[in-house]
Amino acid sequence: MRATGRYEGGELEVIDTYGSHEVKLPAGDLILYPASSLHRVHPVTRGARICSFFWLQSMVRSDQQRGMLFELDQNIQKLRARFGEGEETVALTGHYHNLLRLWSEV
């Protein structure tokens, strides 16, 4: 079989605090998930599943702090889309960056 990414089975299952999620992406795509999540790959029933993997390390060690930064950033983006680059959005962005500097371990 040619390396087209076509195979049967081989779904990646990630188990985290939100439950179990099965993923089967097209060839060339990637998925990121926390290293604290359990995972397994279901058996390939036809063809070949070829993958590559690597690890990333966040500069912010705490899951809770990363979650807070993510939520803050998402809300800043929503405010920016709705109201533009106003004084309040700029101030919140400054707070985001200050928290990032405060919590980062380099």
Side-chain angles (χ1 to χ4, degrees):
M1 182 172 223
R2 290 183 18 215
T4 61
R6 294 184 190 161
Y7 59 92
E8 293 180 13
E11 293 83 2
L12 171 67
E13 182 178 3
V14 178
I15 303 147
D16 60 19
T17 56
Y18 302 104
S20 176
H21 315 278
E22 285 190 9
V23 180
K24 186 171 181 180
L25 300 173
D29 283 9
L30 71 98
I31 180 172
L32 298 174
Y33 55 91
S36 58
S37 301
L38 297 175
H39 74 280
R40 68 179 177 163
V41 177
H42 292 261
V44 175
T45 57
R46 191 177 78 125
R49 179 183 187 269
I50 300 170
C51 65
S52 176
F53 54 92
F54 61 96
W55 290 266
L56 298 173
Q57 181 175 341
S58 174
M59 293 187 305
V60 179
R61 183 180 299 260
S62 165
D63 288 340
Q64 183 180 22
Q65 291 171 339
R66 283 195 310 272
M68 292 170 66
L69 286 168
F70 178 77
E71 287 183 33
L72 180 57
D73 181 57
Q74 292 295 300
N75 283 293
I76 290 170
Q77 289 183 41
K78 288 175 187 173
L79 289 170
R80 189 174 287 129
R82 187 168 182 188
F83 300 110
E85 193 70 25
E87 183 179 322
E88 296 85 358
T89 309
V90 171
L92 287 172
T93 302
H95 288 297
Y96 169 87
H97 287 110
N98 286 333
L99 287 171
L100 185 59
R101 280 190 288 275
L102 179 67
W103 291 338
S104 291
E105 298 176 18
V106 186

